């Protein structure tokens, strides 16, 4: 069929430069400014026009046909007046470089098409997907018909009827397919963005609800004791007991708020080289009173391995995990902390002999609201720990078996100690 292969090759250029490249840019380079994205899209459309002009169907000396008008129609409808002027100018310049009588014909067709695009681009952008396909296809068809009439009536070109039918069909098909697929991809990207935003908002909502609930509980206790002390004459010992309980509850509320702030905004700007052996020793000193009170033995097997992190945040991470381990054991048990080097990474293993978790509980670790401590927990501790480890370019994995214990594996990149 006359010119069929060249038109299909043009269609391939349109698919690559109009459909795939802009969508890949949209997906992977969302941080690019709107202005830069606009010019990158226009550059891609211009390359589509140039590619079509470079592989045309030769009708007669100096007169060629291709699918450049499809690219101009698409880019003009989606880009607005600036894209119409840019792409229209690019089309004329590229065609003038090739030369021949067809260059003048191109100027006439581009001018007429640009006027239509300016008049209809706003209406196009407000239309539904199906209406966009119809409007875009109509404009592309009209441009093709003008180009055909222009070539025969003004420049005396002789066109094969089979070529005319092929050219119109491929022009219609390529425009409809490209606009339809572009709309589908754009809707998918938009839905994905909305889902991500909804998930973030849901997490924030859960956190806000959880924190307000958990902070309100200790504040209610404090308020109650203060009211009792104001309204009655209490013995000094009882008053001191109430004050101590109130202070404990305020400390609890402060811990919840601290956990939330660490989760919401880690402090990587204070990073320095840390020695895991020293950090574990510091953690053991802090948790020893709680472990002794519950009859739990702490066993460590550590070595001098260095990593980069923020000291206070990492201590918070270790405290949250080790406290969970201690609280998972009833009256006796063993908390074991071990370090080793694996594939040039630091592997920290924290193990307990507590009640353990099932697979569903392991998969939900770090979720807002989820805790294995019942009403005593908020789920914030593990959220904070996971967030801190991820901010240090590490990862945390968990193995557990019911009534046998839990192992926490923390992998962090090693650094050299200067």
């Amino acid at each position: 069929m006359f010119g069929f292969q060249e038109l299909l090759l043009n269609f391939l250029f349109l698919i690559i430069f109009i459909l795939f490249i802009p969508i890949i840019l949209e997906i992977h380079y969302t941080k690019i400014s709107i202005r830069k994205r606009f010019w990158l899209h226009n550059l891609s459309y211009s390359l589509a026009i140039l590619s079509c002009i470079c592989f045309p169907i030769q009708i007669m000396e100096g007169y060629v046909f291709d699918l450049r008008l499809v690219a101009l129609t698409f880019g003009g409808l989606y880009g607005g007046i600036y894209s119409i002027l840019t792409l229209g100018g690019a089309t004329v310049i590229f065609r003038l470089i090739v030369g021949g009588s067809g260059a003048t014909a191109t100027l006439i067709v581009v001018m007429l098409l640009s006027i239509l695009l300016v008049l209809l681009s706003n209406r196009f952008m407000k239309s539904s997907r199906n209406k966009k396909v119809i409007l875009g296809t109509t404009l592309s068809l009209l441009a093709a018909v003008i180009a055909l009439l222009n070539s025969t009536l003004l420049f005396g070109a002789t066109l094969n009827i089979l070529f005319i039918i092929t050219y119109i069909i491929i022009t219609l098909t390529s425009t409809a397919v490209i606009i339809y697929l572009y709309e589908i991809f754009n809707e998918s990207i938009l839905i994905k963005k909305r889902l991500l935003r909804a998930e973030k908002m849901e997490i924030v909502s859960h956190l806000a609800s959880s924190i307000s609930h958990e902070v309100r509980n200790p504040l209610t206790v404090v308020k109650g004791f203060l009211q009792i002390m104001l309204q009655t004459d209490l013995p000094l010992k009882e008053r001191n007991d109430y004050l101590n309980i109130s202070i404990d509850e305020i400390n609890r509320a402060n811990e919840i708020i601290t956990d939330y702030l660490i989760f919401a905004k880690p402090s990587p700007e204070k990073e320095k080289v840390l020695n895991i052996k020293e950090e574990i020793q510091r953690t053991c000193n802090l948790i020893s009173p709680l472990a002794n009170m519950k009859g739990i033995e702490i066993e460590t097997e550590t070595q001098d391995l260095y990593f980069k992190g923020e000291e206070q945040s990492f201590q918070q991470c270790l405290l949250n995990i080790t406290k969970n381990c201690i609280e998972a054991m009833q009256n006796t048990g063993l908390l074991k902390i071990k370090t080793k080097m694996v594939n040039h990474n630091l592997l920290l293993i924290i193990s307990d002999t507590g009640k353990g978790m099932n697979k569903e509980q392991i998969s939900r670790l770090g979720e807002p609201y989820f805790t294995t401590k019942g009403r005593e927990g908020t789920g914030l501790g593990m959220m904070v720990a996971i967030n801190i480890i991820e901010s240090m370019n590490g990862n945390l994995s968990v193995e557990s078996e019911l009534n046998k214990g839990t192992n926490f594996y923390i992998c962090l990149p090693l650094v050299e100690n200067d």
Side-chain angles (χ1 to χ4, degrees):
M1 190 180 290
F2 182 69
F4 186 70
Q5 290 181 348
E6 289 84 355
L7 291 176
L8 283 183
L9 183 60
N10 278 204
F11 181 49
L12 177 62
F13 291 139
L14 297 179
I15 291 288
I16 293 171
F17 290 110
I18 291 180
L19 201 59
F20 288 148
I21 291 178
I23 287 173
I24 289 170
L25 286 172
E26 193 71 26
I27 293 172
H28 296 286
Y29 299 94
T30 52
K31 293 182 179 179
I32 295 176
S33 67
I34 295 175
R35 184 181 178 84
K36 286 183 179 178
R37 202 177 305 164
F38 170 81
W39 287 113
L40 284 171
H41 282 209
N42 282 325
L43 175 61
S44 188
Y45 302 152
S46 298
L47 289 173
I49 293 169
L50 177 61
S51 300
C52 290
I53 291 174
C54 290
F55 294 89
I57 301 166
Q58 189 79 30
I59 300 299
M60 64 182 196
E61 184 64 32
Y63 210 103
V64 295
F65 272 88
D66 50 60
L67 297 182
R68 78 193 87 143
L69 297 177
V70 175
L72 175 56
T73 302
F74 180 91
L77 287 173
Y78 279 98
I81 187 166
Y82 293 111
S83 289
I84 295 167
L85 295 174
T86 302
L87 298 176
T91 305
V92 172
I93 291 168
F94 293 153
R95 187 62 187 86
L96 285 172
I97 292 171
V98 174
S101 59
T104 307
T106 296
L107 179 60
I108 296 170
V109 176
V110 168
M111 286 179 64
L112 292 173
L113 180 57
S114 296
I115 292 169
L116 291 172
L117 290 172
V118 169
L119 294 173
L120 295 172
S121 60
N122 285 336
R123 181 180 175 184
F124 175 84
M125 291 306 294
K126 294 176 183 178
S127 301
S128 63
R129 183 205 307 161
N130 291 336
K131 287 183 178 179
K132 283 181 179 178
V133 172
I134 294 170
L135 184 56
T137 306
T138 303
L139 279 175
S140 191
L141 173 62
L142 186 59
V145 171
I146 292 172
L148 292 168
L149 292 174
N150 191 37
S151 64
T152 55
L153 298 178
L154 297 182
F155 295 90
T158 302
L159 301 178
N160 185 300
I161 186 66
L162 191 59
F163 164 74
I164 293 174
I165 294 171
T166 304
Y167 180 68
I168 289 176
I169 289 174
I170 292 184
T171 298
L172 284 172
T173 305
S174 60
T175 307
V177 168
I178 289 171
I179 292 176
Y180 182 80
L181 290 178
Y182 189 81
E183 287 295 313
I184 291 291
F185 288 145
N186 263 349
E187 287 175 12
S188 299
I189 293 169
L190 185 62
I191 289 170
K192 183 180 178 182
K193 288 179 179 177
R194 286 177 177 174
L195 283 173
L196 288 173
R197 192 179 297 114
E199 287 176 0
K200 289 178 182 178
M201 291 304 297
E202 186 179 6
I203 289 174
V204 170
S205 174
H206 283 324
L207 283 172
S209 299
S210 175
I211 288 165
S212 64
H213 172 73
E214 294 302 327
V215 170
R216 190 180 288 116
N217 285 342
L219 291 180
T220 302
V221 173
V222 173
K223 181 181 177 181
F225 283 137
L226 290 176
Q227 287 174 336
I228 291 173
M229 287 187 287
L230 281 174
Q231 295 173 3
T232 59
D233 294 327
L234 295 173
L236 182 60
K237 183 180 181 304
E238 196 171 339
R239 181 183 292 271
N240 288 338
D241 289 341
Y242 287 164
L243 285 173
N244 287 329
I245 294 172
S246 297
I247 291 169
D248 289 341
E249 291 298 305
I250 291 172
N251 288 335
R252 182 174 165 233
N254 185 55
E255 286 178 5
I256 293 168
I257 294 170
T258 301
D259 279 348
Y260 172 72
L261 291 175
I262 293 173
F263 171 76
K265 187 179 180 182
S267 305
E269 66 273 8
K270 298 178 182 178
E271 281 188 344
K272 64 179 182 179
V273 175
L274 303 174
N275 184 340
I276 189 63
K277 187 173 183 178
E278 294 176 0
E279 297 305 314
I280 289 172
Q281 184 58 51
R282 190 176 290 112
T283 302
C284 291
N285 292 338
L286 292 172
I287 62 169
S288 290
L290 177 62
N292 293 334
M293 190 170 60
K294 298 192 70 174
I296 291 166
E297 183 184 352
I298 300 175
E299 182 181 306
T300 61
E301 186 181 330
T302 60
Q303 50 190 307
D304 292 312
L305 296 172
Y306 300 90
F307 63 102
K308 207 168 186 180
E310 202 277 316
E311 187 174 8
Q312 185 177 352
S313 295
F314 187 67
Q315 275 298 311
Q316 185 68 39
C317 169
L318 291 182
L319 281 172
N320 289 349
I321 294 175
T322 52
K323 280 178 67 179
N324 282 348
C325 291
I326 291 172
E327 289 166 358
M329 296 180 275
Q330 296 301 321
N331 295 323
T332 59
L334 174 65
L335 174 65
K336 189 171 183 179
I337 304 174
K338 182 179 178 180
T339 62
K340 58 182 178 179
M341 186 171 66
V342 178
N343 297 327
H344 304 290
N345 288 316
L346 162 63
L347 181 62
L348 169 61
I349 306 170
I350 302 175
S351 307
D352 67 55
T353 56
K355 58 185 179 182
M357 295 177 285
N358 57 37
K359 290 183 179 180
E360 182 185 355
Q361 290 173 322
I362 294 173
S363 67
R364 294 190 62 190
L365 277 180
E367 286 185 13
Y369 272 139
F370 178 75
T371 176
T372 58
K373 301 178 188 177
R375 297 183 64 181
E376 295 180 4
T378 63
L380 279 174
M382 281 308 302
M383 288 178 64
V384 169
I386 292 170
N387 194 51
I388 291 169
I389 291 166
E390 288 178 351
S391 72
M392 296 166 62
N393 298 318
N395 62 74
L396 181 144
S397 58
V398 182
E399 289 180 359
S400 187
E401 193 173 342
L402 287 174
N403 301 319
K404 289 191 176 180
T406 302
N407 297 328
F408 291 89
Y409 299 93
I410 301 171
C411 186
L412 296 169
L414 283 171
V415 297
E416 292 185 4
N417 184 32
D418 296 332

Coordinates of all heavy atoms in Angstrom, one line a residue, residues 35-101:
R35 N 7.1 25.0 35.0 CA 7.7 25.7 33.8 C 8.6 24.8 33.1 O 8.6 24.7 31.8 CB 8.4 26.9 34.3 CG 9.0 27.8 33.2 CD 9.7 29.0 33.7 NE 10.3 29.8 32.7 CZ 9.6 30.7 32.0 NH1 8.4 30.9 32.2 NH2 10.2 31.4 31.0
K36 N 9.5 24.1 33.8 CA 10.4 23.2 33.1 C 9.7 22.0 32.5 O 10.1 21.5 31.4 CB 11.5 22.6 34.2 CG 12.5 23.7 34.6 CD 13.5 23.1 35.5 CE 14.6 24.1 35.9 NZ 15.6 23.5 36.9
R37 N 8.7 21.5 33.2 CA 7.9 20.4 32.6 C 7.2 20.8 31.3 O 7.2 20.0 30.4 CB 6.8 19.9 33.7 CG 6.3 18.5 33.5 CD 5.4 18.2 34.6 NE 5.9 18.3 35.9 CZ 5.2 18.4 37.0 NH1 3.9 18.3 36.9 NH2 5.8 18.5 38.1
F38 N 6.7 22.1 31.3 CA 6.1 22.6 30.1 C 7.1 22.6 28.9 O 6.7 22.1 27.8 CB 5.6 24.0 30.4 CG 5.1 24.7 29.1 CD1 3.9 24.5 28.6 CD2 6.0 25.7 28.5 CE1 3.4 25.2 27.5 CE2 5.5 26.4 27.4 CZ 4.3 26.1 26.9
W39 N 8.3 23.1 29.1 CA 9.3 23.1 28.0 C 9.8 21.7 27.7 O 10.1 21.5 26.5 CB 10.4 24.1 28.4 CG 10.0 25.5 28.4 CD1 9.9 26.4 29.4 CD2 9.6 26.2 27.2 NE1 9.4 27.6 29.0 CE2 9.2 27.5 27.7 CE3 9.5 25.9 25.9 CZ2 8.8 28.5 26.8 CZ3 9.0 26.9 25.0 CH2 8.7 28.2 25.5
L40 N 9.9 20.8 28.6 CA 10.3 19.5 28.3 C 9.2 18.8 27.4 O 9.6 18.1 26.5 CB 10.5 18.7 29.6 CG 11.8 19.0 30.3 CD1 11.8 18.3 31.7 CD2 13.0 18.5 29.5
H41 N 8.0 19.0 27.7 CA 6.9 18.4 26.9 C 6.9 19.0 25.5 O 6.8 18.3 24.5 CB 5.5 18.7 27.6 CG 5.2 17.8 28.7 ND1 3.9 17.5 29.1 CD2 6.0 17.2 29.6 CE1 4.0 16.7 30.1 NE2 5.2 16.5 30.4
N42 N 7.1 20.3 25.4 CA 7.2 21.0 24.1 C 8.4 20.5 23.3 O 8.3 20.3 22.1 CB 7.2 22.5 24.2 CG 5.8 23.0 24.5 OD1 4.8 22.5 24.0 ND2 5.7 24.1 25.3
L43 N 9.5 20.3 24.0 CA 10.7 19.7 23.3 C 10.4 18.3 22.7 O 10.8 18.0 21.6 CB 11.8 19.7 24.3 CG 13.1 19.0 23.8 CD1 13.7 19.8 22.6 CD2 14.2 18.9 24.9
S44 N 9.7 17.5 23.5 CA 9.3 16.2 23.1 C 8.4 16.2 21.9 O 8.6 15.5 20.9 CB 8.7 15.4 24.3 OG 8.5 14.0 23.9
Y45 N 7.4 17.1 21.9 CA 6.5 17.2 20.8 C 7.2 17.7 19.6 O 6.9 17.3 18.4 CB 5.3 18.2 21.1 CG 4.5 17.8 22.4 CD1 3.9 18.8 23.1 CD2 4.4 16.5 22.7 CE1 3.1 18.4 24.2 CE2 3.6 16.1 23.9 CZ 3.0 17.1 24.6 OH 2.3 16.8 25.7
S46 N 8.2 18.7 19.7 CA 8.9 19.2 18.6 C 9.8 18.1 18.0 O 9.9 18.0 16.7 CB 9.9 20.3 19.1 OG 9.1 21.4 19.6
L47 N 10.3 17.2 18.8 CA 11.1 16.0 18.3 C 10.2 15.1 17.5 O 10.6 14.5 16.5 CB 11.7 15.3 19.4 CG 12.9 16.0 20.1 CD1 13.4 15.2 21.3 CD2 14.1 16.2 19.1
A48 N 8.9 15.0 17.9 CA 7.9 14.2 17.2 C 7.7 14.8 15.8 O 7.7 14.1 14.8 CB 6.6 14.1 17.9
I49 N 7.5 16.1 15.8 CA 7.3 16.8 14.5 C 8.5 16.6 13.6 O 8.4 16.3 12.4 CB 7.0 18.3 14.7 CG1 5.7 18.4 15.5 CG2 7.0 19.1 13.4 CD1 5.4 19.8 16.0
L50 N 9.7 16.8 14.1 CA 11.0 16.7 13.3 C 11.1 15.3 12.8 O 11.5 15.1 11.6 CB 12.2 17.1 14.2 CG 13.5 17.0 13.6 CD1 13.7 17.8 12.3 CD2 14.6 17.3 14.6
S51 N 10.8 14.3 13.6 CA 11.0 12.9 13.2 C 10.1 12.6 12.1 O 10.4 11.9 11.1 CB 10.7 12.0 14.4 OG 11.6 12.2 15.5
C52 N 8.8 13.1 12.2 CA 7.9 12.8 11.1 C 8.3 13.5 9.8 O 8.2 12.9 8.7 CB 6.5 13.4 11.5 SG 5.7 12.4 12.8
I53 N 8.9 14.7 9.9 CA 9.3 15.4 8.7 C 10.5 14.7 8.1 O 10.7 14.7 6.8 CB 9.7 16.9 9.0 CG1 8.4 17.6 9.4 CG2 10.4 17.6 7.9 CD1 8.6 19.1 9.9
C54 N 11.4 14.1 8.9 CA 12.6 13.4 8.4 C 12.2 12.1 7.7 O 13.1 11.6 6.9 CB 13.5 13.1 9.5 SG 14.3 14.6 10.2
F55 N 11.0 11.5 7.9 CA 10.7 10.3 7.3 C 9.3 10.4 6.6 O 8.3 9.8 7.1 CB 10.6 9.1 8.3 CG 12.0 8.8 8.9 CD1 12.5 9.5 10.0 CD2 12.8 7.9 8.3 CE1 13.7 9.2 10.5 CE2 14.1 7.6 8.8 CZ 14.5 8.2 9.9
P56 N 9.2 11.2 5.5 CA 7.9 11.5 4.9 C 7.6 10.5 3.8 O 8.4 9.7 3.4 CB 8.1 12.9 4.4 CG 9.6 12.9 4.0 CD 10.3 12.0 4.9
I57 N 6.4 10.8 3.2 CA 6.0 10.1 1.9 C 6.3 11.2 0.8 O 5.7 12.3 0.8 CB 4.6 9.7 1.9 CG1 4.3 8.7 3.1 CG2 4.2 9.1 0.6 CD1 2.9 8.5 3.4
Q58 N 7.1 10.8 -0.2 CA 7.4 11.8 -1.2 C 6.3 11.7 -2.3 O 6.1 10.7 -2.9 CB 8.8 11.4 -1.9 CG 9.3 12.5 -2.8 CD 9.9 13.6 -2.1 OE1 10.5 13.5 -1.0 NE2 9.9 14.8 -2.7
I59 N 5.6 12.8 -2.4 CA 4.5 12.9 -3.4 C 5.0 13.4 -4.8 O 4.7 12.8 -5.8 CB 3.4 13.9 -2.9 CG1 2.8 13.4 -1.6 CG2 2.3 14.0 -4.0 CD1 2.2 12.0 -1.6
M60 N 5.8 14.4 -4.7 CA 6.4 14.9 -5.9 C 7.6 15.8 -5.5 O 7.8 15.9 -4.3 CB 5.5 15.8 -6.8 CG 5.0 17.1 -6.1 SD 3.8 17.9 -7.2 CE 3.8 19.6 -6.3
E61 N 8.4 16.3 -6.4 CA 9.6 17.0 -6.0 C 9.3 18.2 -5.1 O 8.5 19.1 -5.5 CB 10.3 17.5 -7.3 CG 11.6 18.2 -7.1 CD 12.7 17.2 -6.5 OE1 12.7 16.0 -6.8 OE2 13.5 17.7 -5.7
G62 N 9.9 18.1 -3.9 CA 9.7 19.2 -3.0 C 8.4 19.2 -2.2 O 8.1 20.1 -1.5
Y63 N 7.6 18.2 -2.4 CA 6.3 18.1 -1.7 C 6.1 16.7 -1.0 O 6.2 15.7 -1.7 CB 5.1 18.3 -2.7 CG 3.9 18.9 -2.1 CD1 3.6 20.3 -2.3 CD2 3.1 18.2 -1.2 CE1 2.6 20.9 -1.7 CE2 2.0 18.8 -0.6 CZ 1.7 20.2 -0.9 OH 0.7 20.8 -0.3
V64 N 5.9 16.8 0.3 CA 5.9 15.5 1.1 C 4.7 15.5 2.0 O 4.1 16.6 2.3 CB 7.2 15.3 1.9 CG1 8.4 15.1 1.0 CG2 7.4 16.5 2.9
F65 N 4.3 14.3 2.5 CA 3.2 14.2 3.5 C 3.8 13.4 4.7 O 4.6 12.5 4.5 CB 2.0 13.5 2.9 CG 1.0 14.5 2.2 CD1 1.2 14.8 0.9 CD2 0.0 15.0 3.0 CE1 0.3 15.7 0.3 CE2 -0.9 15.9 2.4 CZ -0.7 16.2 1.0
D66 N 3.3 13.7 5.8 CA 3.6 12.9 7.0 C 2.6 13.3 8.1 O 1.6 13.9 7.8 CB 5.0 13.3 7.5 CG 5.3 14.8 7.6 OD1 4.5 15.4 8.4 OD2 6.1 15.3 6.9
L67 N 2.8 12.8 9.4 CA 1.9 13.0 10.5 C 2.3 14.1 11.4 O 1.9 14.1 12.6 CB 1.7 11.7 11.2 CG 1.1 10.5 10.5 CD1 1.0 9.3 11.4 CD2 -0.2 10.8 9.8
R68 N 3.0 15.1 10.9 CA 3.5 16.2 11.8 C 2.3 17.0 12.3 O 2.3 17.5 13.4 CB 4.4 17.1 11.0 CG 3.7 18.1 10.1 CD 4.6 18.8 9.1 NE 4.8 18.0 7.9 CZ 5.0 18.5 6.7 NH1 4.9 19.8 6.5 NH2 5.2 17.7 5.7
L69 N 1.2 17.1 11.6 CA 0.0 17.9 12.0 C -0.7 17.2 13.2 O -1.3 17.9 14.0 CB -1.0 18.1 10.8 CG -0.4 18.9 9.7 CD1 -1.5 18.9 8.5 CD2 0.0 20.3 10.1
V70 N -0.6 15.9 13.3 CA -1.1 15.2 14.5 C -0.4 15.7 15.8 O -1.0 16.0 16.8 CB -1.0 13.7 14.3 CG1 -1.5 13.0 15.6 CG2 -1.8 13.2 13.1
A71 N 0.9 15.7 15.7 CA 1.7 16.2 16.8 C 1.4 17.6 17.2 O 1.3 18.0 18.4 CB 3.2 16.0 16.5
L72 N 1.3 18.5 16.2 CA 0.9 19.9 16.4 C -0.5 20.0 17.0 O -0.6 20.8 18.0 CB 1.0 20.7 15.1 CG 0.5 22.1 15.1 CD1 1.3 22.9 16.1 CD2 0.7 22.8 13.7
T73 N -1.4 19.2 16.5 CA -2.8 19.3 17.1 C -2.8 18.9 18.5 O -3.4 19.5 19.4 CB -3.7 18.4 16.3 OG1 -3.7 18.8 14.9 CG2 -5.1 18.4 16.8
F74 N -2.1 17.8 18.8 CA -2.1 17.2 20.2 C -1.4 18.2 21.1 O -1.9 18.6 22.2 CB -1.3 15.9 20.2 CG -1.3 15.3 21.6 CD1 -2.2 14.4 22.0 CD2 -0.2 15.6 22.4 CE1 -2.1 13.8 23.3 CE2 -0.1 15.0 23.7 CZ -1.1 14.1 24.1
G75 N -0.2 18.7 20.8 CA 0.6 19.6 21.6 C -0.1 20.9 21.8 O -0.1 21.5 22.9
G76 N -0.8 21.4 20.8 CA -1.5 22.7 20.9 C -2.7 22.6 21.8 O -3.0 23.5 22.6
L77 N -3.5 21.5 21.7 CA -4.7 21.3 22.5 C -4.4 21.2 23.9 O -5.0 21.8 24.8 CB -5.5 20.1 22.0 CG -6.2 20.3 20.7 CD1 -6.8 18.9 20.2 CD2 -7.3 21.3 20.8
Y78 N -3.3 20.5 24.3 CA -3.0 20.2 25.7 C -2.1 21.3 26.3 O -2.1 21.6 27.5 CB -2.2 18.9 25.8 CG -3.2 17.7 25.9 CD1 -3.4 17.0 24.7 CD2 -3.8 17.4 27.1 CE1 -4.3 15.9 24.8 CE2 -4.7 16.3 27.1 CZ -4.9 15.5 25.9 OH -5.8 14.5 26.0
G79 N -1.3 22.0 25.4 CA -0.4 23.0 25.9 C -0.9 24.4 25.9 O -0.3 25.3 26.6
G80 N -1.9 24.7 25.2 CA -2.4 26.1 25.1 C -1.7 27.0 24.1 O -0.9 26.5 23.3
I81 N -1.9 28.3 24.2 CA -1.4 29.2 23.2 C 0.1 29.2 23.0 O 0.6 29.3 21.9 CB -2.0 30.6 23.5 CG1 -1.6 31.6 22.3 CG2 -1.4 31.2 24.8 CD1 -2.4 32.9 22.3
Y82 N 0.8 29.1 24.2 CA 2.3 29.1 24.1 C 2.8 27.9 23.3 O 3.8 28.0 22.5 CB 2.9 29.3 25.5 CG 2.6 30.6 26.1 CD1 1.8 30.7 27.2 CD2 3.2 31.8 25.6 CE1 1.5 31.9 27.8 CE2 2.9 33.0 26.2 CZ 2.1 33.0 27.3 OH 1.8 34.3 27.9
S83 N 2.2 26.8 23.6 CA 2.6 25.5 22.9 C 2.2 25.6 21.4 O 3.0 25.2 20.5 CB 1.9 24.3 23.5 OG 2.5 24.0 24.8
I84 N 1.1 26.2 21.1 CA 0.7 26.4 19.7 C 1.7 27.2 18.9 O 2.1 26.9 17.8 CB -0.7 27.0 19.6 CG1 -1.8 26.1 20.3 CG2 -1.1 27.3 18.2 CD1 -3.1 26.7 20.5
L85 N 2.1 28.4 19.5 CA 3.1 29.2 18.9 C 4.4 28.5 18.7 O 5.1 28.6 17.7 CB 3.2 30.5 19.7 CG 2.0 31.4 19.7 CD1 2.2 32.6 20.6 CD2 1.6 31.9 18.3
T86 N 4.8 27.8 19.8 CA 6.1 27.2 19.8 C 6.2 26.0 18.8 O 7.1 26.0 17.9 CB 6.5 26.6 21.2 OG1 6.5 27.6 22.1 CG2 7.8 25.9 21.2
L87 N 5.2 25.2 18.8 CA 5.1 24.0 17.9 C 4.8 24.4 16.5 O 5.4 23.8 15.6 CB 4.1 23.0 18.5 CG 4.4 22.4 19.8 CD1 3.3 21.5 20.3 CD2 5.7 21.7 19.9
G88 N 4.0 25.4 16.3 CA 3.7 25.9 15.0 C 4.9 26.5 14.3 O 5.2 26.2 13.2
G89 N 5.7 27.3 15.1 CA 6.9 27.8 14.6 C 7.9 26.7 14.3 O 8.6 26.8 13.3
A90 N 8.0 25.7 15.2 CA 9.0 24.6 15.0 C 8.6 23.8 13.7 O 9.5 23.5 12.9 CB 9.0 23.7 16.2
T91 N 7.3 23.6 13.5 CA 6.9 22.9 12.3 C 7.3 23.6 11.0 O 7.8 23.0 10.1 CB 5.3 22.7 12.3 OG1 5.0 22.1 13.5 CG2 4.9 21.9 11.1
V92 N 7.0 25.0 11.0 CA 7.4 25.8 9.8 C 8.9 25.8 9.6 O 9.4 25.6 8.4 CB 6.8 27.2 9.9 CG1 7.3 28.1 8.8 CG2 5.3 27.2 10.0
I93 N 9.6 26.0 10.6 CA 11.1 26.1 10.5 C 11.7 24.8 10.0 O 12.5 24.7 9.1 CB 11.7 26.5 11.9 CG1 11.4 27.9 12.2 CG2 13.3 26.3 11.8 CD1 11.7 28.3 13.6
F94 N 11.2 23.6 10.6 CA 11.8 22.3 10.2 C 11.4 22.1 8.7 O 12.3 21.6 7.9 CB 11.1 21.2 11.0 CG 11.6 21.2 12.5 CD1 10.8 20.7 13.5 CD2 12.8 21.7 12.8 CE1 11.1 20.7 14.8 CE2 13.2 21.7 14.2 CZ 12.4 21.2 15.1
R95 N 10.2 22.5 8.3 CA 9.8 22.2 6.9 C 10.5 23.2 6.0 O 10.9 22.8 4.8 CB 8.3 22.4 6.8 CG 7.7 22.0 5.4 CD 8.0 20.6 5.2 NE 7.6 20.2 3.8 CZ 8.4 20.3 2.7 NH1 9.6 20.8 2.9 NH2 8.0 19.9 1.5
L96 N 10.8 24.4 6.4 CA 11.6 25.3 5.5 C 13.0 24.8 5.3 O 13.6 25.0 4.2 CB 11.6 26.7 6.1 CG 10.3 27.5 6.0 CD1 10.4 28.8 6.9 CD2 10.0 27.9 4.6
I97 N 13.6 24.2 6.3 CA 14.9 23.6 6.2 C 15.0 22.5 5.1 O 15.9 22.4 4.3 CB 15.4 23.0 7.6 CG1 15.6 24.2 8.6 CG2 16.7 22.2 7.4 CD1 15.9 23.7 10.0
V98 N 13.9 21.7 5.1 CA 13.8 20.6 4.1 C 13.7 21.3 2.7 O 14.2 20.8 1.7 CB 12.6 19.7 4.4 CG1 12.4 18.7 3.2 CG2 12.9 19.0 5.7
G99 N 12.9 22.4 2.6 CA 12.7 23.1 1.3 C 11.7 22.5 0.4 O 10.9 21.6 0.7
G100 N 11.5 23.2 -0.7 CA 10.5 22.7 -1.7 C 9.3 23.5 -1.7 O 9.0 24.3 -0.7
S101 N 8.4 23.3 -2.6 CA 7.1 24.0 -2.7 C 6.2 23.7 -1.5 O 5.3 24.5 -1.1 CB 6.4 23.7 -4.0 OG 6.2 22.3 -4.1

